[in-house]
Amino acid sequence: MDSRLQLPITEVKGIGDKLAVHLNELGLFTVEDLLFYFPYRYDSYEIKPLTELIHDEKATIEGRLMTDPAVQYYGRKKSRLTMNLQVESFAVKAVMFNRAFAKNQLSAGDTVTVTGKWDQHRLQVTVSQFKKGPAENQEPIQPVYTLKESVTLVKLRKVIKSAIDEYSEDIQEILPEDYVLSYKLPARIQALKQMHYPESRVMLKHAKRRFIYEEFVIFQLKMQLLRKLQREATSGNAQQYDNRVLTQFVQSFPFELTDAQKRSLAEILKDMKSPYRMNRLLQGDVGSGKTAVAAISLYASITAGKQGALMVPTEILAEQHYESLTNLFNDKANIVLLTGSVKGKRRSQILDQVKNHEADIIIGTHALIQDDVAFSDLGFVIVDEQHRFGVNQRRALRDKGLHPDVLFMTATPIPRTLAITAFGDMDVSIIDEMPAGRKPVETYWVKGGLTERVLSFIQKEVKKGHQAYVICPLIEESEQLEVQDAIDLYHQLAEIYEPHITIGLMHGRLSNNEKEDVMKKFSSNEIQVLVSTTVVEVGVNVPNATLMVVHDAERFGLSQLHQLRGRVGRGAEQSYCILLADPKGDVGKERMRIMTETTDGFELSEQDLKLRGPGDFFGRKQSGMPEFKVGDMVHDYRALETARQDASEIISNDFLSKDERFRPLLQIIEQDANIQGRVLD
Ligand code: ADP
Ligand code: MG
C-alpha cells in the first residue's frame, strides 16, 4: 500500500534534478515527504475594519494614497518611506523602511494593500509587506513554510500542488472509519489539502485537529507497544520478597507511612513480584518521603536474596542517603558508599564486597557505573533525581544486573501532560501528600537586594535557634562569576553578623573534603547562615534550617526555586522563603507571583511548563522529548490524552494484529525498526 508515495520526488511534475537537490536539503526525498511537508505557520491577510484591529499585532490594511509617498534618507543606505492613506474615513500613516524604490511605483490616488504591525494610538502601520492595488486576489490565509533560499514559496507550493493532483488517489485513510466519524475528523486527503491550501480558518482548524490526533495516536501506539514487547522480553525476574520481615521493618520506623507512601509502595512491590521487569517513576514533592519508600523497596529486594543500588547526582546527597539508610537499616543490611572521592584500597575493598555479595546495598554517584563495578546479583536499581542523568547512564547501571527492577525518583514533579508522553514507557507512582504536621513554607517576594528588613529577619530566625540559607544565582556561562558572587555575599554577611552569628560558604569550587566539612558544620549548627550556590539544590536535609533567601531569584526557573525552597520546611517549625527579585518582564513577575501563591510542586510544574514550553522544561541537554509535526504536547494535551486512551484500548485488545480496521496503522507502526516483525508472529 502507498507504494507510489514512496517514489522519489523527481517523479513529481515540475521537480528537476536541481530542485530535487534543494528539496533533499529540506529533508524531502519521497512524494510522501513532500505532501506532508506542512507549513509551520499561517499568515492572515484578512481585511478587517480598523476598529477591530489589535494594537501591536499584525494587520492588513487596504487604502488610497492621499498624497505621493515621501522618502527621507538617513544614515548610510537607510530610508523611510511614508504613505498617507485614507482607510474607511480615517487618515492612516503607513511607514516602510529601506524600500525607497517603491516611491516610483506609487502616486496619489493609487490603492495599496499593506501588512504590518498596527499602532492603534497613532493610527499607523509599520509595513513588512506591501502590494500595489486592492487586497482582492490575495489569499486571506497564507501558509508559511521553512524554506531554503534556493526554494521559493511559489515554487514549493507549485510542486506540492502537482503532487496532490497526481497522487491524491494514493493518500488513503489510515484511521478506522468509526474513529474518524466519532471525532468528526476530515478525511485524510481533504485535511491534507486544507493544510496547504486552507479555505478558511475553520477548515484549517479541523485539518490540524486531524493530523494532531493522527500523530499522537501513532506515537502512543508505538510507545505502548514497545513497552508491552519489552515487558514480555524481560519476564522471569519475579522477586520473592519476605512480606513478614518487611512489615516488621516498616513498623520499626518512627512514623507511620502516609496513604500516598503506602499506595506507591504497594505499586512497587506488585511490580517486583511480577515476572516482568519494573520500569517505574516515583514522583513526589521535596520532603514527601520518597526515601522511605525507596528504603523499604530496597529491603524487599534484599529479603528476596538480591542486591540493590541507589544512584544519586551529587556526593553530598550520596553521603546523606548513606547516613539515613544506615540508620534506618541498623544491622539489617550491609550498606556501602561509593563516590568519586572513594579511592585506592578502600575502593577495591568496596568493589570486592559488592562483587561477592557481602554488600547488600551500594549507594553512590556516577562512580557506580564505572566498568569495574560488578555485582553478584543486582536485583533492584534506584536512580534518584533521574533527570540529572543521561539516558545512557541510567541504562549503564541497569545493565549491571540481569533484568533488575528499576525505580526512578524525582522531586521535580513532571506535569501529567508531559509524563504521559515523555515517560510513555514508564509506569508512574505519585506521592501527592505530605507527612502530617508539615507547615507550608511561607513565601515572600521582596524587590531589591538584601534590605535592612531582610537582614533583620535573618537575625530574628537565628536568634530563635534556627538556621538560614542564602543562595546566589546560577550563572550558567560563568561558574567563575557565580562563585565570586557567593564569596562577595559571604564577606558582606560576615561583616554584618559575625561574631554573633557564624556564616558559612559553599560552592562548586570547593574540594569534596571542604564541602563535607561545611555541610557537617551546618548540620550541627556550628554555622547558622550558609551562603551557597545551587549546589545545595538537591536533597540536602537540615531540618533546623527554617529560612531560605534566594538572591536574584528572577534568574531561576520555577522548578528550581521550588527545589531550593524545599531545603526548608523539613522540621516542625514554621519556615520561610524570601525571594529577592527584580524581574523585568511579565513572565518573571508571574513566576514570583506563582511562587508566593502555591507550595504544591505539581501545580508549579504545570505553570512552569506553560511559561516555558515543553522544550525548555527538562533543559535542552537530555530532554528526549518527542517532536511532533503538528501537535503541541502542552497546547493539545486533551488530544494527547484521548490518543493515549485509544492506544491503550487498541493495544490491550490486540486490535493491531487481530482487527482488519487497524491494518493501515499497523503498517505505519511496523516501519519503526524496534517494532518491525514483532506484532504478528
Ligand atoms: P524526599 O526524599 O521525598 O525528599 P524524605 O524521604 O527525605 O523525602 O523525607 C523527608 C523527611 O520526612 C525525612 O526526615 C523522613 O524521615 C520524614 N518522613 C518520611 N515519611 C514520613 C512520614 N510518613 N511521616 C513523618 N515523617 C516522614
Ligand atoms: Mg530525597
Side-chain angles (χ1 to χ4, degrees), residues 201-237:
R201 285 270 154 199
V202 177
M203 302 275 261
L204 177 60
K205 197 179 100 191
H206 289 301
K208 279 190 186 166
R209 207 164 54 79
R210 191 221 136 84
F211 286 115
I212 290 170
Y213 177 75
E214 181 180 310
E215 69 180 343
F216 281 169
V217 89
I218 289 172
F219 171 76
Q220 285 291 339
L221 282 171
K222 280 188 194 172
M223 285 284 243
Q224 296 187 29
L225 190 61
L226 273 173
R227 176 179 176 191
K228 188 177 160 192
L229 293 170
Q230 176 207 26
R231 267 172 164 265
E232 287 164 3
T234 61
S235 63
N237 83 335

Side-chain angles (χ1 to χ4, degrees), residues 132-150:
K132 189 175 168 181
E136 62 197 38
N137 301 332
Q138 182 156 308
E139 287 170 61
I141 306 169
Q142 266 196 14
V144 183
Y145 298 83
T146 306
L147 292 172
K148 288 253 156 82
E149 268 170 60
S150 37

Side-chain angles (χ1 to χ4, degrees), residues 63-102:
R64 203 173 57 85
L65 275 166
M66 297 191 287
T67 57
D68 287 349
V71 177
Q72 271 175 290
Y73 291 91
Y74 59 98
R76 278 174 25 124
K77 294 188 199 163
K78 290 193 173 158
S79 69
R80 174 190 156 104
L81 180 146
T82 309
M83 295 178 261
N84 291 305
L85 301 176
Q86 183 183 340
V87 182
E88 300 163 22
S89 58
F90 299 95
V92 169
K93 212 174 244 176
V95 182
M96 190 155 77
F97 290 96
N98 306 329
R99 273 177 283 180
F101 61 85

